Amino acid sequence: MKLLAVDGNSIINRAFYGIKLLSTKTGIYTNGIYGFMNILNKLLETENPDGAVIAFDLKSPTFRHKKYAGYKAGRKPMPEELRMQVPILKELLTDLGYTCLEKEGYEADDILGTLSFSAEQNENVCVISTGDKDSLQLVSKETSVLLATTKFARPEILKMTPETVLEKYGLTPKQLIDLKALMGDQSDKIPGVAGIGEKTGIELIKNFGSLNGVYENINSPLIKEGVRTKLIKDKENAYLSYFLGTIYKEVPISLNFNDYKFKPVNKKETAKLLRKLEFFKLLEKYNLQNEPTEDETSAKSSSLEESELLFKKCRYTKGAVFVNLTENGSAIAFKNGFDTLNKEQTEEFLKANIKNIVTSNSKEIYKILLKNNTVNGTKESESKNEEKKENEKNVLLPLALFDCSLAGYLLSPDKSNYKTEGMFNEYIGVFNTKIENSKTENGKEKEESAKEENTNEELLITAAETEAVKGYLLFYKLKELLKETNQYKLFCDVEMPLSLVLADMETVGFKIDKTGLKNMDEELEIRLSQLLTEIENLAGEKFNVNSPKQLGVILFEKLNLPAKKKTKSGYSTSAEVLESLKDQHEIIPKILEYRVIAKLKSTYCDGLLKNADKNGVIHTTFNQTETKTGRISSLEPNLQNIPVRREEGKKLRKFFVAREGKTLIDADYSQIELRVLASIANDKNMIEAFLSNEDIHTITASKVFNLPEKFITPALRSRAKAVNFGIVYGIGAFSLAKDIGISRNEAAELIKGYFNTYPNIEKYMEEVVEKAKEQGFVTSLYNRRRYLPELKNSNHMIRAFGERVARNMPIQGTAADIIKIAMVNVYKRLKEEKINADLILQIHDELILESDVKDKEKAKRILEEEMQNAAKLKVPLISSANDGKTWLKAKA
């Protein structure tokens, strides 16, 4: 029999420190368990054992501690984030049918040693998995060790046999005990012989065979006098270390390997625990996604009857309908059945049922209707005049009923995706496809014979249909949870209508001047060539300036500039490193400029031209579920990241243009996050500063530095501005000092002065963190949540990050909510007033419209009014709109 024996503590430790900290939305840390299970599954695949034992240490003292009080003394305790994962891992392993062993008075190593010794005595095979080199002493013909190690910062598994041990150390596995007796082990506080390292220890064991051999030949000329003195002095410690370092092989456990064969999986408990840990991929791997976990499963959805899904076929129905868009059309599910529609049928169905539609991608559904000029159930005829087309285009589409992905995002904003399958497994979990053996085509029932191999007479439905059915059931659960977390209003009034707004923005797009952009691209190409020549002349040779390795050699070896960081792959040439060196050689500013120009050319000029359609229009994709703060992101291409700090970057805006007969209108909020902060913190001084309608940074500088406003220099205002915005992001003295180039003490005094000026801001910062620790989350003014398991972390750096987020998220999240509300209201009002203008871009606190020239004044007024009235804070929201034929002019 082949037995896999795993050192549980060793492997979960490696997994914990090798994977970034992960946690469930309820605050259960999971990275150690997740990594352990990945390693275990790989071991099972590669080794194919007949059974497995996972051995664990107990907290109680072992026979080694009783022999030597200093054994493992002073070792840093297991962090709480890891400690809490160990009992959960044991529970999961037991539910999966593995044997977990631990024995008071012994270590996991001793259990592994006992099992390996038994394998040798009974012609079995034992494979040990560990990260502890101590286990190499167990290697034999019957026992191999899979040693988890790290090579060049990458995890690696070394299979150690008697041959590989001999090759690596020049010693047999059992001689490694003698070596440890001489060397000791600092991590376990095994003393060894002071002054004897690995090289000397190996030489001694090779010459004399064992620890006994060394001391029996202590006067041998092969032992140097200094080494002999050390050996004689610490002989007692050497034999103590031999005892401590020897793995015990007679732990009182069962030696019948049949006891360790894989047991049946407890499906119910395993499924329950995997869902609790949010390990949905493992749930699928073990084929447990349909396993019930609670007796009251049927109560989780109004459509779960007696823990089974019973579907009867029906074409169309009143009430909620889940639509899963596919490449060829859609799959739909409703109260009494499901169906598959082609593209034409899908469009017809969407028009007829839009108000009842549930989906996981409402934006794509809106785009189907918008691109086909569908308005209130009609499709625009080509023969209608242009004026009527424009008027009907301005009719507001009805909203879909529910978008599961948007609901999932509000409930857990830290996930990477919100696919129906994953959310169903998380929130419901039970899916039994026992349904009637019938299929509907074009509204008629069609009987199909069950497949011969389908002994349960269950109809095999497509993946798309299955997803639609799951989505339909998921809808009810998510709606319930949104109400429980007070986010249903945010969902209905902001996120759902915003999906329509974004669909329209993506459909309309933003036109670019392709000719002008191509000319700029050529100019940048010429500038890059010039810079490259200048850089190579300064370097004294040609080299690849885009290669960090070659650049590192030029800068830090040939030009002898001080290297800041060096890794195994070479010198660091990051922007941070180069910025710190820009005054030390004229080549550095050239390289920095080269990088900026190269990025402008490749990412923006080339990227924008590549993404423009045949009419020169960019249709970016707006992502509503990506950021943890509620902000919208943009990709393919990212229009929210157009650079503005350098003149070349600003010029890019010149090539974003209005279509013929139209103009661009640009408006942004003035200091929205500071206004939100003043309102949330209810700070009287900051509120008064905003109500005075004066420059907030000048007022802040005046109060902090105790000077009349007329004496506030640009430098002092700049410092006050840095603190104003830094406080929003929870900045500390160290970061502030670095940002504005002052000492840490000066920065600390500046922050202290700021809080003296705005005392309620400091009070808010303290109270919001304490409340977050109690609740486990923070909210915006509109109840948008962000969960913060980091606040319970024992690591100071991670905990400090959680505190910064706790301070910032209510402010940034509220600002994100406000701009979304403004977008929805602007969009609605433009439609209601039949203004020929379209929202085409949002960048954080900035909105851009494209309007018919004749309607621009009305559009500007609507944009300003709706932005300023989007929220009622204790201070006014300020926004002013400008227009121009290009984005650059409209922004001016």
Side-chain angles (χ1 to χ4, degrees), residues 718-762:
S718 179
R719 288 188 179 187
K721 182 178 178 179
V723 183
N724 267 328
F725 287 118
I727 290 297
V728 171
Y729 290 90
I731 200 167
F734 177 80
S735 297
L736 180 63
K738 188 176 179 182
D739 287 349
I740 61 178
I742 60 177
S743 72
R744 190 170 179 176
N745 286 339
E746 287 177 301
E749 285 300 313
L750 195 51
I751 291 173
K752 182 180 178 181
Y754 182 89
F755 284 139
N756 287 336
T757 301
Y758 303 123
N760 262 32
I761 302 294
E762 183 175 28

Side-chain angles (χ1 to χ4, degrees), residues 595-633:
R595 286 183 175 180
V596 170
I597 300 297
K599 183 173 178 63
L600 277 173
K601 183 183 183 306
S602 63
T603 302
Y604 299 107
C605 288
D606 297 344
L608 290 172
L609 288 167
K610 178 183 175 183
N611 281 285
D613 66 16
K614 63 181 180 180
N615 298 315
V617 177
I618 298 285
H619 299 276
T620 187
T621 298
F622 293 103
N623 194 326
Q624 205 172 338
T625 62
E626 185 175 88
T627 70
K628 296 179 182 180
T629 58
R631 280 184 170 179
I632 302 162
S633 62

Side-chain angles (χ1 to χ4, degrees), residues 545-570:
V545 72
N546 295 311
S547 166
K549 189 171 183 180
Q550 291 185 35
L551 180 60
V553 171
I554 292 292
L555 297 181
F556 306 119
E557 293 183 8
K558 184 171 183 180
L559 299 179
N560 291 318
L561 293 175
K564 302 290 181 179
K565 299 177 185 176
K566 189 173 183 181
T567 64
K568 290 180 180 177
S569 59

Side-chain angles (χ1 to χ4, degrees), residues 519-550:
N519 291 338
M520 182 177 179
D521 190 60
E522 291 170 2
E523 290 174 12
L524 294 179
E525 183 66 47
I526 293 169
R527 180 59 184 144
L528 282 175
S529 180
Q530 292 171 343
L531 282 168
L532 184 59
T533 300
E534 292 170 12
I535 289 167
E536 289 176 346
N537 287 340
L538 290 167
E541 64 178 88
K542 290 183 178 293
F543 69 100
N544 182 0
V545 72
N546 295 311
S547 166
K549 189 171 183 180
Q550 291 185 35

Side-chain angles (χ1 to χ4, degrees), residues 305-324:
E305 301 173 7
E306 297 177 1
S307 301
E308 291 183 340
L309 307 181
L310 304 175
F311 294 105
K312 295 181 179 179
K313 301 304 296 175
C314 174
R315 179 59 172 160
Y316 296 117
T317 184
K318 291 182 179 180
V321 181
F322 188 90
V323 177
N324 177 31

